[in-house]
Structure formats: C-alpha cells, structure tokens
Amino acid sequence: MKVVLTLCAAMTLAVSSINIASAQSKTTYRDSSGRTTGSATTNSSGKTTYRDASGRTTGSSSTNSSGKTTYKDASGRTTGTSSKR
C-alpha cells in the first residue's frame, strides 16, 4: 500500500514538474523526517520513470504530442491516462 501511495504522489508531483528542455531531470521525494521515499527521473523525450526508496522501478509515464499522458506500472501495463482539456 505504501508503494502505491508513493507512486501516486510521485506521479501527481512529477507530471506538474516535467522539464523536457533538460537532458534529464530528477526529483527526490522525502517523508516528514527527511528520509527518501522515492524518486522520479524525466528524460529528454519526456518519459518519467518512478522508483521507490530502494531504487526499484515502480512505474512510468509519458505524454504524447496531443497532450495525452499514459501511466504504466513496473511491468509496463497501462494503469491510467489523462488528457488536456
């Protein structure tokens, strides 16, 4: 359950902070005690990979040219989508 909540929080924050202009952008997520709970890395193509505190990939997301974002779990299965209005 903790990994799922961390992944959801990571997706929410990362989607709003994608920086496609840089070669790679990394965001680290920490709990209230300062311990790392996960991270998100966005590459130059706009694909974001989410990892737990141990570095295991928990999911990914990417946005196409139409503005549709697709979320996938660690196995590559689509778990959700979102679109611009």
Side-chain angles (χ1 to χ4, degrees):
M1 183 67 175
K2 183 177 179 181
V3 172
V4 172
L5 292 175
T6 300
L7 179 59
C8 289
M11 284 183 187
T12 301
L13 292 172
V15 168
S16 64
S17 65
I18 290 176
N19 185 358
I20 297 174
S22 67
Q24 200 168 61
S25 173
K26 183 173 181 178
T27 303
T28 301
Y29 301 99
R30 301 180 188 280
D31 64 15
S32 60
S33 299
R35 291 183 297 255
T36 299
T37 59
S39 65
T41 306
T42 304
N43 67 18
S44 60
S45 299
K47 179 180 178 184
T48 302
T49 302
Y50 304 97
R51 292 181 174 81
D52 64 14
S54 299
R56 292 180 297 249
T57 299
T58 57
S60 64
S61 65
S62 59
T63 304
N64 68 17
S65 60
S66 300
K68 179 180 177 182
T69 302
T70 302
Y71 301 94
K72 297 184 178 191
D73 64 15
S75 299
R77 293 182 299 255
T78 299
T79 58
T81 60
S82 64
S83 299
K84 289 183 179 180
R85 286 184 175 214

